Amino acid sequence: MNDNPRVIALPRDQRLPGNGGDSLATERPEVTRVLRNTYALLSLTLLFSAGVAAAGVAFQWPAPGLVLTLVGFFGLLFAVHKLQNSGWALPAVFALTGFMGYTLGPMLSHTLALPGGAQTIVTALGATGATFVSLSAYVLTTRRDFSFMGGFLFAGIVVALMLMLAAFFFQMPALALAVSGLVALLSVGLILFETSRIVSGGETNYVLATVGLYVSVFNLFTSLLSLLGMGGDE
């Protein structure tokens, strides 16, 4: 079983303001601005994270392990929230996403060592991209309110985190794969939830919006990678 656990962020706010017919993004310049800045920063952080992960594969960087992964992720996430309105917010975001790219490197190396590993990575990456674009387009065109998912997502993430720790400490590969499936579903819900918050004006800080979407995309990719790679892993 892979010893590089994924990280899961809890929804920041379970309450989402209603987004009736008068809350079109095109009719609210602040929403358009947040969306534009969020997707621009998200693209840069994904590229940066991918570059760090590629370097990890090339130089065979060791896996950070459970403790360092959790401490590093939650510590940097806390820093992003503390610095969200300062000039240090962007460096904190890139530090967080770079660290997550570092944790991804060993997982990619492990997958590449399996039969058909390169194809598995490409398939997981394509499925992640297609899912994110489809879900984002759905929310942006329908402007549907997904605030009702907040409580379910919060409970699901807590359960997934507990099961992930159990699978790690008790070395239960079958449970780890089940957790991967659960995290993939939760990530889909979080993408809908986070995008809906931006469109409705519930999230006005593009730094926090970027981090929320980035973590969801990261977890979706790593979950799909685990599920697709299970055939070649003992």
Side-chain angles (χ1 to χ4, degrees):
M1 183 178 65
N2 194 298
D3 61 353
N4 181 32
R6 64 185 57 81
V7 288
I8 306 174
L10 301 179
R12 294 185 303 280
D13 187 357
Q14 297 183 25
R15 296 170 299 174
L16 181 65
N19 63 338
D22 60 342
S23 55
L24 295 170
T26 54
E27 296 177 357
R28 301 179 61 180
E30 67 277 12
V31 171
T32 304
R33 176 182 57 81
V34 173
L35 279 171
R36 182 177 62 249
N37 291 341
T38 296
Y39 287 130
L41 182 57
L42 180 63
S43 299
L44 292 175
T45 54
L46 288 172
L47 289 174
F48 178 67
S49 184
V52 174
V57 173
F59 296 104
Q60 293 296 302
W61 292 342
L66 176 65
V67 175
L68 180 57
T69 297
L70 294 179
V71 171
F73 170 73
F74 286 109
L76 290 170
L77 184 63
F78 176 78
V80 170
H81 279 263
K82 290 289 290 185
L83 301 170
Q84 59 181 281
N85 295 315
S86 75
W88 290 99
L90 291 181
V93 170
F94 280 98
L96 172 63
T97 56
F99 176 76
M100 295 179 73
Y102 162 60
T103 67
L104 181 61
M107 186 176 186
L108 294 178
S109 296
H110 172 78
T111 304
L112 287 171
L114 301 175
Q119 182 179 357
T120 298
I121 293 175
V122 171
T123 302
L125 185 62
T128 300
T131 300
F132 176 75
V133 171
S134 299
L135 295 176
S136 298
Y138 176 75
V139 176
L140 292 174
T141 54
T142 66
R143 300 173 303 281
R144 183 175 176 182
D145 184 355
F146 285 96
S147 61
F148 66 91
M149 299 176 63
F152 168 78
L153 291 172
F154 180 85
I157 289 171
V158 171
V159 171
L161 183 59
M162 296 299 102
L163 291 176
M164 182 186 73
L165 292 174
F168 178 82
F169 285 113
F170 296 104
Q171 295 296 299
M172 303 171 63
L175 179 58
L177 288 175
V179 172
S180 294
L182 175 59
V183 171
L185 292 175
L186 291 172
S187 298
V188 168
L190 283 168
I191 292 172
L192 293 171
F193 180 84
E194 295 285 351
T195 307
S196 179
R197 276 175 49 80
I198 300 172
V199 171
S200 70
E203 179 60 87
T204 58
N205 188 303
Y206 75 93
V207 170
L208 298 184
T210 298
V211 170
L213 288 175
Y214 174 90
V215 172
S216 298
V217 171
F218 180 92
N219 284 332
L220 178 59
F221 173 68
T222 55
S223 298
L224 292 177
L225 197 61
S226 295
L227 293 170
L228 293 172
M230 65 182 178
D233 194 349
E234 297 180 359

